[in-house]
Amino acid sequence: MLRKLLSIASAALIGGVMLAQTADARTLDQIIQADTIRIGVNPNFPPMSSYGKTNEFEGFDIDVGNKIATALGVKAEFVPTETAQRVPYLVADQIDISLGALTRSAERAKLIDFTVPLHTESMAVLTTDKNKAEKWTDFNSDQFTLVNMRGNWSVDFLKEKLPNAKVLLVETNADTVRAIAQGRGDALIENVDFFLAFTKSYPDIKWRTLNDTIFVNYDAIGVSKGNDGLRQFLNVLLYDLHSSNYVNDTWQKWYGQPMLKPIVANPYF
């Protein structure tokens, strides 16, 4: 009985903390009154967001963040937010919204709320015209070497799904594309949207992205739990940004190619 009472008390305490954190989150009106919106962006994720030559943030997320601020009539304050910090920063009210390729997931939805999708990330194949494969499963052969970055979750996924392929592990995203350009590997199977910008360094290579996607994730803007006024404003704005093609045009500006699976604007959200 004591254990049960302690469990109930603990749950009530956690619930109270969550309610307090939600209450602390700045509302839409408070953001407008403060004349600033705090936007979490990844400082090490080019061309999504990173420090440019003048030590100012630049990238897709920065353009989108400035567009949001303009629509609100406020200034954008970009807060460096590493991948693992995105949800905790929202919960702790250190940022008002989170960008940075924030994939929707059931676990995250327990702690924060999401807008409608901003963009996708598609797991697919990046290769060259030297390979005639049309499906990702065609690479399950020892005649192919798959390049990937050491530590990526997709390394184990591909070892399970394509056990016959050879594997070359490198250190960075740029290294994966370089290895294919140099002929040390045949293909990259990953969330290829985030790698396409590196292909611009090798204009003599005829790059190919297979239309045969393995799966598509939907990335949205994160807001604090229960901050519905802000979330609904962003949903309306995102519909406008998608239907006007602003998101796709900005994506192509920074990534050099269209989004593999673009978001289709839907007024019903």
Side-chain angles (χ1 to χ4, degrees):
M1 177 61 72
L2 178 59
R3 183 177 298 176
K4 184 176 181 180
L5 289 172
L6 288 172
S7 177
I8 293 172
S10 176
L13 177 62
I14 292 171
V17 171
M18 291 302 297
L19 285 173
Q21 289 170 338
T22 300
D24 287 340
R26 299 200 305 176
T27 66
L28 177 63
D29 287 343
Q30 289 171 333
I31 290 169
I32 294 172
Q33 290 168 6
D35 196 34
T36 303
I37 182 168
R38 302 166 300 171
I39 305 172
V41 294
N42 192 328
N44 303 300
F45 194 6
M48 187 66 75
S49 55
S50 63
Y51 291 106
K53 294 179 180 179
T54 60
N55 207 34
E56 297 288 332
F57 274 120
E58 64 179 21
F60 172 83
D61 274 349
I62 308 309
D63 285 358
V64 170
N66 281 322
K67 196 75 169 177
I68 292 170
T70 298
L72 284 167
V74 303
K75 301 180 185 69
E77 177 189 342
F78 293 104
V79 181
T81 311
E82 298 288 351
T83 299
Q85 297 172 328
R86 293 172 297 179
V87 172
Y89 270 38
L90 280 172
V91 172
D93 191 39
Q94 292 181 293
I95 55 177
D96 298 307
I97 64 174
S98 178
L99 299 179
L102 185 62
T103 305
R104 296 186 310 185
S105 73
E107 285 302 309
R108 287 173 178 162
K110 296 175 183 177
L111 300 171
I112 64 173
D113 288 339
F114 293 96
T115 64
V116 297
L118 170 60
H119 62 84
T120 60
E121 51 181 88
S122 303
M123 189 172 188
V125 181
L126 175 65
T127 185
T128 70
D129 64 339
K130 293 180 181 179
N131 300 310
K132 304 304 178 185
E134 294 299 331
K135 297 181 178 180
W136 70 276
T137 51
D138 292 342
F139 287 89
N140 190 26
S141 167
D142 60 8
Q143 66 176 302
F144 293 116
T145 297
L146 302 181
V147 186
N148 210 325
M149 194 169 70
R150 187 171 283 106
N152 274 2
W153 72 271
S154 51
V155 174
D156 291 335
F157 173 85
L158 294 172
K159 284 181 179 179
E160 177 186 347
K161 301 297 183 181
L162 306 176
N164 296 322
K166 300 174 184 175
V167 177
L168 171 64
L169 298 181
V170 295
E171 297 301 323
T172 68
N173 288 0
D175 289 339
T176 62
V177 176
R178 183 182 301 112
I180 298 172
Q182 293 173 343
R184 295 185 289 125
D186 298 294
L188 166 70
I189 302 181
E190 244 291 349
N191 292 331
V192 295
D193 286 300
F194 300 139
F195 292 80
L196 293 176
F198 299 109
T199 62
K200 292 188 288 186
S201 300
Y202 310 96
D204 296 333
I205 302 295
K206 294 182 179 179
W207 298 96
R208 282 202 314 140
T209 302
L210 303 193
N211 289 325
D212 179 39
T213 55
I214 302 170
F215 57 76
V216 179
N217 281 328
Y218 290 86
D219 295 10
I221 300 174
V223 302
S224 296
K225 198 75 174 171
N227 202 347
D228 287 338
L230 177 59
R231 184 173 63 87
Q232 289 297 343
F233 167 82
L234 293 170
N235 283 344
V236 173
L237 178 61
L238 282 172
Y239 174 74
D240 293 341
L241 298 184
H242 285 306
S243 57
S244 67
N245 222 39
Y246 175 84
V247 171
N248 289 332
D249 289 345
T250 305
W251 187 274
Q252 184 149 355
K253 166 188 170 182
W254 287 103
Y255 282 90
Q257 296 191 44
M259 201 180 303
L260 196 59
K261 296 291 182 182
I263 299 294
V264 177
N266 187 338
Y268 304 104
F269 47 78

